[in-house]
Amino acid sequence: MPPIRDKFIIHSKAVVCQDVDLKGDITIGPGTVVHPKAIIYAIGGPIVIGSNNIIEEGATIVNRRKEVMRIGDENLFEIGSRVESPSVGDQNTVSTKARVHHTVRIGSHCSIGPKCFINTSEDIKLDDFTVLYGPNWEERLWSGRGQKQAEDLSTKHVEYLKEWLPKFNRLRRGEMP
Amino acid sequence: MSATIKYYCSCLSNTVVPPAPHLPSSSHSFHTLPELYFCEECDAVRCNECVSIEVSGYYCPNCLFEVPSASVRAEKNRCARNCFFCPQCFNTLAVVPSDPPDGTSFHQANSMGEPPFLLYCNNCRWDSAEAGITFEKSTGLAQQLQKHEDSAPDSLEFERLKDFFEPLLRASSSNTQHAPGTSSHSTHTNPITAAASSALARDIPGVSKYHPPPPRSRQKSKHGSKDDMPTYRSRVEIGGINGYGAGGEKDADLFSRLEHPSQVSTLAQKWTGSWSVSPLSRDLKPIRIPLHSRLTKRCPSCRHILIKPEQKAQSVRFKIKLVAANYLPAIEVHLPQPTASTRRVPGARTTQDADQSNSSRSSLLPGKSYPFRLGLKNPLYDPIQVRLVVQRQPLPAVPSAGEASTEKSRRPPFAISLPSTAFSIAPYAEAWEYEDEDDLDGLDDDDGLSPVKAAKGRSKTVGVLEKKANTTIVGGEIVIAKDGRGDAKFNMLVSYTYRSDEPPVDEMIGSKRATDLVKTNPETKTFTFYTVVDLGTIIPKEDARTASPDAY
């Protein structure tokens, strides 16, 4: 395996803390907030993260595949979650300690509950509005009611973090190391 | 931790000596220390099974509203405000407004949000609109639902049942007034029990029918009053609101068209409903949160209050709290498991196998001896002197002449050695008072010199091993017989002597030693209690051999 070449492109309006662990070819879009101690490894192919995402402490995003791993907009990766899926849509929530295997593509408006673990042998795609919850990873479809409120909350969340994180953390800029 | 210790409460037997630990019934007499109370008046340990309990208040666990006991019944023991469980995942539901029409941002809309309001689950994203429930106002949701609930067939049926049984109940109460004592004790004349037994015998879909044992003919001829009760016929046939759930043709038809397992409601989801619930998960309704109660606990013999919570539901304090942990030394047992490197005897694989079957318990091998440690922590502000005595395994009082011979042939499965002399435990002090650790150690050495020496003389494992602050760790040893089997469980008598302000009363079980102490020093007092120590399971030799054939 060839050595991984680091190449970080961080949008000027993104908030990426100094103490994050980045490896490989990573692009971070505007408004995305990456908390300290988050881990993003582009081992196989590059990772492209869209706008207004939140990646919390200890969240791990890994691309093991050759293709580009695309993460859409307004996703929330909570503390200790681990996502290796080749593509993630928009407005998804991956809750605390949830794990998504590299065979699972995530649609949009999905919610993966705390400690849920999706692991399949063949490639699958989570439909839009899929909700996984509970200790047995039960699956149901969200009606979509309250979607506006969810969007609104996510916008406020990003705004708040963009204001307050830089006051207590050094930020990383998108320079080439 | 694999080894456990439990404390004895003598409420279930007449004697102060606990039952033999290998009897299955003995487990009801032993409790963990945090579960126990201590009555100062009686100078005795009390457990949850013997205290008398009074309800001191009801509250909703979600909104912490204190419900007056008068309205608890009317509200059917459930919160009458905005508290609901999600029918899918049992999370608490939140009240949310519906989304504003497209185009307007949420900020521009009314701050209270737009009606209709929904109940929304943040965990599984269920919302009440899926079950066809919406609200016009965001407050008093239970009242808004009340109309639906009151007209639902199950609550109508319940009202009818109450009406049906009321004359019978009234008749029975007047009966018992006429002839108190005699008829109320009979199971057959009491309509309440009759109603309960007929309710038990009713057909519940999905549950095999319960057949009550045939009543004895003698009783039947004596009290024929069960026949006086007319048979109750339900107004509607059993079956959900839409006719599903009764186990008939309709259900079979429904299940043949199922596409996804999530469409069916699980047993856990249906369990809370008293009426047969629809088998479809989309029909499930939000559940009003059941109320909790705060309890006052009293000593059964002297009626003194042991536990009294504060009235406010928000408060986590107690007005009165007499827990045993404040009076009895807390004991921890630790059985160091032989690690793979030090003991690679037959155990290595056996332990693993046993762990799989008997997950948390440690396993012991016959013919071996294991050291174990007891850590005793003093909760009192005075130093105490502790003596540990192992209760003889076959109770000395019990064996009769016939049993004695079999007793001889069957040796006890294990032997326990514990330090036989009394040892001291330093008083409890606040953390900041432990600064000069060296002084404390010196003091302790003077106190407990003899046990330490004695222990060194005999072996390194048995005796006082360590003294630190208000904790003393003593070592013991268990020697397991070659043909030992069963659980390595033994009763241990703990007696401790402390300085008392009250005049000494030796009403306690008082071993000989204890009474001696009382005589020599009138200031001191001795308290004795029994514990059961469970060190793990002995793996019978045959099992050990089959489990690890390569070791032999």
Side-chain angles (χ1 to χ4, degrees), chain B residues 107-315:
Chain B
H107 296 294
Q108 294 158 5
N110 182 4
S111 63
M112 280 299 291
E114 301 260 316
F117 292 91
L118 307 171
L119 284 168
Y120 177 74
C121 174
N122 277 311
N123 187 30
C124 68
R125 299 208 174 169
W126 177 89
D127 61 65
S128 59
E130 284 181 38
I133 298 171
T134 52
F135 303 92
E136 290 308 312
K137 286 185 298 175
S138 62
T139 50
L141 300 190
Q143 271 100 338
Q144 294 183 53
L145 267 185
Q146 195 77 47
K147 283 168 248 156
H148 294 281
E149 275 176 15
D150 285 346
S151 60
D154 47 344
S155 67
L156 286 177
E157 191 69 44
F158 182 64
E159 292 299 322
R160 232 170 79 90
L161 260 175
K162 277 201 288 190
D163 291 346
F164 176 76
F165 282 116
E166 202 165 349
L168 281 159
L169 281 171
R170 219 179 296 124
S172 87
S173 61
S174 60
N175 262 345
T176 45
Q177 273 165 11
H178 286 308
T182 48
S183 60
S184 65
H185 285 294
S186 162
T187 48
H188 280 280
T189 45
N190 192 344
I192 305 171
T193 48
S197 66
S198 72
L200 272 178
R202 203 178 52 206
D203 239 345
I204 301 165
V207 179
S208 66
K209 200 175 153 90
Y210 165 73
H211 294 286
R216 282 182 204 154
S217 53
R218 186 176 53 86
Q219 278 182 332
K220 210 173 185 180
S221 60
K222 215 173 175 182
H223 328 271
S225 62
K226 201 184 177 184
D227 299 328
D228 299 347
M229 207 167 58
T231 324
Y232 177 79
R233 298 215 178 277
S234 60
R235 205 176 52 90
V236 278
E237 277 306 303
I238 281 174
I241 296 107
N242 45 15
Y244 294 124
E249 280 286 309
K250 222 171 170 181
D251 278 6
D253 189 43
L254 185 79
F255 281 107
S256 65
R257 282 184 279 114
L258 280 181
E259 283 175 356
H260 199 270
S262 68
Q263 292 177 320
V264 187
S265 52
T266 63
L267 183 61
Q269 287 166 350
K270 289 192 280 191
W271 198 244
T272 44
S274 51
W275 196 250
S276 63
V277 182
S278 164
L280 289 179
S281 60
R282 64 174 148 85
D283 289 340
L284 293 171
K285 301 272 183 282
I287 309 152
R288 273 161 64 197
I289 290 182
L291 298 176
H292 283 199
S293 59
R294 322 202 111 198
L295 303 174
T296 301
K297 295 183 178 173
R298 287 177 185 273
C299 173
S301 54
C302 67
R303 305 287 301 153
H304 272 85
I305 294 176
L306 301 176
I307 290 286
K308 190 180 173 70
E310 275 191 9
Q311 201 55 47
K312 273 192 167 178
Q314 287 95 327
S315 166

Side-chain angles (χ1 to χ4, degrees), chain B residues 5-71:
Chain B
I5 186 160
K6 285 186 171 177
Y7 291 64
Y8 175 62
C9 175
S10 59
C11 62
L12 288 178
S13 70
N14 301 321
T15 59
V16 284
V17 183
H22 59 266
L23 298 175
S25 61
S26 72
S27 64
H28 297 287
S29 305
F30 292 102
H31 312 271
T32 56
L33 183 60
E35 291 174 345
L36 289 172
Y37 310 105
F38 191 88
C39 179
E40 277 192 327
E41 298 295 319
C42 311
D43 209 15
V45 173
R46 301 287 178 217
C47 69
N48 266 325
E49 279 162 54
C50 59
V51 291
S52 56
I53 292 170
E54 294 159 19
V55 172
S56 71
Y58 297 91
Y59 67 98
C60 168
N62 190 40
C63 63
L64 292 179
F65 181 88
E66 284 150 57
V67 183
S69 40
S71 56

Side-chain angles (χ1 to χ4, degrees), chain A residues 27-160:
Chain A
T27 310
I28 296 177
T32 289
V33 176
V34 185
H35 286 244
K37 299 285 179 198
I39 299 161
I40 304 172
Y41 287 167
I43 300 170
I47 296 179
V48 178
I49 299 174
S51 62
N52 294 327
N53 295 290
I54 301 170
I55 299 166
E56 293 186 350
E57 288 99 327
T60 310
I61 295 172
V62 180
N63 184 13
R64 294 188 188 278
R65 298 196 171 192
K66 282 273 179 286
E67 312 92 83
V68 181
M69 171 180 181
R70 283 187 197 280
I71 293 176
D73 304 335
E74 293 172 34
N75 295 295
L76 170 62
F77 300 94
E78 289 186 0
I79 295 167
S81 61
R82 185 183 180 96
V83 175
E84 300 187 3
S85 39
S87 79
V88 177
D90 303 333
Q91 294 175 4
N92 298 293
T93 303
V94 182
S95 302
T96 304
K97 287 203 169 176
R99 285 169 65 192
V100 184
H101 205 236
H102 66 84
T103 51
V104 182
R105 289 168 192 274
I106 302 177
S108 293
H109 309 283
C110 294
S111 164
I112 292 151
K115 278 193 110 173
C116 284
F117 177 33
I118 320 176
N119 179 10
T120 52
S121 48
E122 62 264 24
D123 281 14
I124 59 156
K125 182 170 185 288
L126 282 188
D127 291 333
D128 292 359
F129 296 105
T130 301
V131 182
L132 277 133
Y133 64 96
N136 301 321
W137 317 324
E138 281 140 288
E139 193 181 328
R140 45 178 272 115
L141 283 182
W142 179 31
S143 65
R145 275 180 286 264
Q147 189 186 325
K148 253 222 164 96
Q149 294 166 58
E151 272 172 43
D152 206 62
L153 187 70
S154 135
T155 320
K156 275 189 203 158
H157 194 173
V158 172
E159 273 170 21
Y160 178 85

